[in-house]
Amino acid sequence: MIRKHSATLHGHRTSFSLEDEFWVELKAIAAKRDISLATLIAEIDDQRDAASNLSSALRVHVLTWVKSSTNGN
C-alpha cells in the first residue's frame, strides 16, 4: 500500500508517498547506518537530481542499497 509520509528537511516540512516495503527498507538502512531516518531522508534529498522528485529518489536509493548489499559491497 502507498502511504503519505512527512519530514522536516532543513527546517521545511515536506511530504512524499512511498509503498510500505520501501518505507520498511528506508528504516532498516537508517538503522544499519546508525543514523536517524530524518537524517537519511535529508541526505537523499540533498543528493537527488533537481528534476527528480523525493519519492522517486527514495525508491532509487533503496534499490541501489539492496542491489549493493546483494553484491557483497
Side-chain angles (χ1 to χ4, degrees), residues 32-49:
K32 178 91 172 175
R33 291 187 51 203
D34 198 27
I35 61 174
S36 71
L37 184 57
T39 298
L40 176 61
I41 293 169
E43 284 180 6
I44 296 166
D45 185 51
D46 290 345
Q47 296 170 5
R48 73 182 167 98
D49 186 296

Side-chain angles (χ1 to χ4, degrees), residues 7-71:
T8 301
L9 306 175
H10 308 296
H12 296 97
R13 265 327 246 177
T14 190
S15 63
F16 50 90
S17 298
L18 278 181
E19 293 80 1
D20 291 339
E21 294 83 358
F22 284 102
W23 185 246
V24 167
E25 289 302 317
L26 276 175
K27 292 193 295 187
I29 292 166
K32 178 91 172 175
R33 291 187 51 203
D34 198 27
I35 61 174
S36 71
L37 184 57
T39 298
L40 176 61
I41 293 169
E43 284 180 6
I44 296 166
D45 185 51
D46 290 345
Q47 296 170 5
R48 73 182 167 98
D49 186 296
S52 169
N53 68 47
L54 181 56
S55 296
S56 294
L58 294 168
R59 289 183 189 98
V60 169
H61 184 84
V62 168
L63 177 61
T64 302
W65 176 274
V66 168
K67 286 177 73 173
S68 70
S69 296
T70 60
N71 291 331

